[in-house]
Amino acid sequence: MKTIDELLAEGVAGKRVFVRADLNVPLDGTTITDDGRIRAVVPTIAKLAEAGARVVVASHLGRPKGAPDPAFSLAPAATRLGELLGADVAFATDTVGESATATVAGLADGQVAVVENLRFNPGETSKDDAERGAFADRLAELADVYVGDGFGAVHRKHASVYDLPARLPHYAGYLIATEVGVLKKLTTDVERPYAVVLGGAKVSDKLGVIDHLLERADRILIGGGMAYTFLKAQGHEVGSSLLQEDQIPAVQEYLRRAEEKGVEFVLPVDVVVAPSFPDLKTKAPAHPTTVAADAMPAGQMGLDNGPETNKLYASKLADAATVFWNGPMGVFEHPDFADGTRAVAQALVDSPGFSVVGGGDSAAAVRILGFDEKAFGHISTGGGASLEYLEGKTLPGLAALED
């Protein structure tokens, strides 16, 4: 895989460099609520611009239905990118049409443009190779060189991620190089003890990574909504908590295999419950109570780890040489149910080992709860991509960058 440093050594002045970034940021209307993904790609874009490249930045945002939708416009991201670069960033109101063509043609050396949301064109996400390829052909007309730096999208076989690199000289940007380097530390020559914290809503989303980690991790700590399927698999009442009954046999098999292999599986010993899911807009008091994990009342919903669980998990992470965390421990967006996620984040900060926050809601939680990002070994920009890498899957966007 060639890197951006090799491209810079070859010279980029005057060249149109297509940067596939990940500007898929959360929006409240047109207000960006977390600009972490934009900040992550700034080093690559800034370096190219400083070297005289004409930088064409492209990304998706959200899940539009293959047609323009103002709710998913990249305009706010383009504005924020300009603020972070300290320079004007041009914005094309389409992906490969008249505006994109004219905007790119109007770039001078060292200038940057963002084209509109790639998913406004159905060819970006099409499962038909010909349709996807045709869109990649049009994107290729905008550039001389391709730089892949949208790590959060490399697990997608999309036109701008998979097909376009085959049509242009291609290189990995700084972000992808960093992300891959970190993930290798989690999969090869891992420093031990190796602890993994998995949370989030659905256990089905994590089955593949659990299966893979049973061969590699020393401890697996479970929290979030998925914990209640594990507790149910052990025969406990889980009230009205999130539950995937169809996954109980798989969970029971994982618990059996973990015991067989000497992998420590750690589940909540107490949980914070409430009669119903909290209102995340008003943040109205949810009247929570804390109960033992094996004594949940019927009609109550588990929404966070309890204080004894928080202490337990902190102790299990205290001596870890390597920690990977993906998925919140509770409904961290509400103050009544944020302590479990906060406790895990603090345990990673306090841990002397190498800590990785695996993107997605975990990365958002770290920022929302006010932690210093520099206190962690690495905060990934791609939750799904990180998990699929740890599952041992081939990621299309990384394979496309290989020579």
Side-chain angles (χ1 to χ4, degrees):
M1 186 184 293
K2 290 184 178 179
T3 67
I4 186 176
D5 285 332
E6 293 173 84
L7 171 60
L8 291 167
E10 295 167 9
V12 294
K15 291 183 179 179
R16 300 169 302 162
V17 180
F18 187 103
V19 177
R20 202 328 180 163
D22 180 9
L23 308 181
N24 184 28
V25 291
L27 293 172
D28 183 1
T30 59
T31 300
I32 297 171
T33 57
D34 181 0
D35 68 355
R37 284 178 168 166
I38 303 176
R39 286 186 285 111
V41 79
V42 165
T44 290
I45 295 170
K47 198 73 171 182
L48 289 167
E50 288 168 9
R54 303 177 182 191
V55 187
V56 182
V57 182
S59 176
H60 70 287
L61 192 152
R63 297 180 182 272
K65 305 297 183 182
D69 183 339
F72 297 105
S73 175
L74 277 174
T79 299
R80 180 59 181 147
L81 177 61
E83 293 170 352
L84 292 167
L85 290 171
D88 291 336
V89 169
F91 181 66
T93 56
D94 56 25
T95 55
V96 291
E98 291 181 7
S99 179
T101 301
T103 300
V104 173
L107 289 176
D109 293 1
Q111 291 187 328
V112 179
V114 174
V115 298
E116 186 54 286
N117 193 334
L118 291 163
R119 291 185 182 175
F120 285 180
N121 189 304
E124 169 68 1
T125 59
S126 176
K127 297 191 186 313
D128 181 84
D129 291 349
E131 184 179 14
R132 222 176 43 246
F135 183 50
D137 287 339
R138 296 189 67 189
L139 289 172
E141 294 172 4
L142 299 175
D144 305 303
V145 181
Y146 178 93
V147 171
D149 217 27
F151 181 73
V154 295
H155 58 315
R156 306 295 187 192
K157 193 176 182 180
H158 291 170
S160 66
V161 176
Y162 178 76
D163 301 273
L164 184 56
R167 289 156 169 79
L168 295 168
H170 45 268
Y171 302 81
Y174 291 126
L175 175 60
I176 278 187
T178 298
E179 293 273 15
V180 171
V182 166
L183 288 169
K184 284 182 177 177
K185 290 185 179 181
L186 299 177
T187 52
T188 58
D189 300 323
V190 181
E191 289 194 38
R192 299 186 179 280
Y194 178 19
V196 176
V197 187
L198 296 175
K202 295 181 178 180
V203 69
S204 56
D205 293 341
K206 303 291 197 301
L207 289 179
V209 75
I210 293 172
D211 185 70
H212 209 63
L213 288 169
L214 280 173
E215 305 295 330
R216 290 161 178 79
D218 298 302
R219 300 171 196 147
I220 300 177
L221 287 61
I222 302 293
M226 62 185 286
Y228 301 101
T229 300
F230 277 87
L231 291 170
K232 185 71 172 181
Q234 291 184 326
H236 303 309
E237 169 67 50
V238 296
S240 58
S241 305
L242 185 62
L243 173 65
Q244 288 186 285
E245 294 229 31
D246 60 322
Q247 300 299 330
I248 287 177
V251 165
Q252 290 173 330
E253 174 62 13
Y254 286 144
L255 291 171
R256 185 197 66 76
R257 281 176 55 198
E259 185 175 3
E260 182 181 89
K261 292 178 177 296
V263 177
E264 187 178 8
F265 240 106
V266 188
L267 298 176
V269 294
D270 62 345
V271 294
V272 180
V273 301
S276 60
F277 197 83
D279 188 324
L280 299 183
K281 287 188 176 181
T282 66
K283 304 290 196 297
H287 309 294
T289 55
T290 300
V291 299
D294 60 358
M296 286 184 63
Q300 291 286 312
M301 178 180 292
L303 295 164
D304 195 15
N305 287 348
E308 293 306 314
T309 301
N310 295 340
K311 292 177 188 176
L312 172 65
Y313 284 18
S315 72
K316 296 296 182 181
L317 299 175
D319 68 340
T322 305
V323 183
F324 174 73
W325 169 35
N326 179 278
M329 298 293 100
V331 186
F332 71 91
E333 302 91 339
H334 192 286
D336 287 344
F337 308 106
D339 286 350
T341 302
R342 184 182 290 108
V344 167
Q346 187 62 55
L348 264 66
V349 170
D350 295 340
S351 171
F354 180 63
S355 59
V356 178
V357 181
D361 286 341
S362 310
V366 163
R367 299 183 184 106
I368 290 170
L369 296 176
F371 285 89
D372 182 356
E373 294 180 44
K374 296 177 182 177
F376 301 88
H378 179 69
I379 299 179
S380 179
T381 57
S386 296
L387 289 177
E388 290 198 16
Y389 190 100
L390 292 181
E391 286 179 44
K393 291 183 177 180
T394 296
L395 306 188
L398 295 185
L401 293 176
E402 298 288 351
D403 294 316

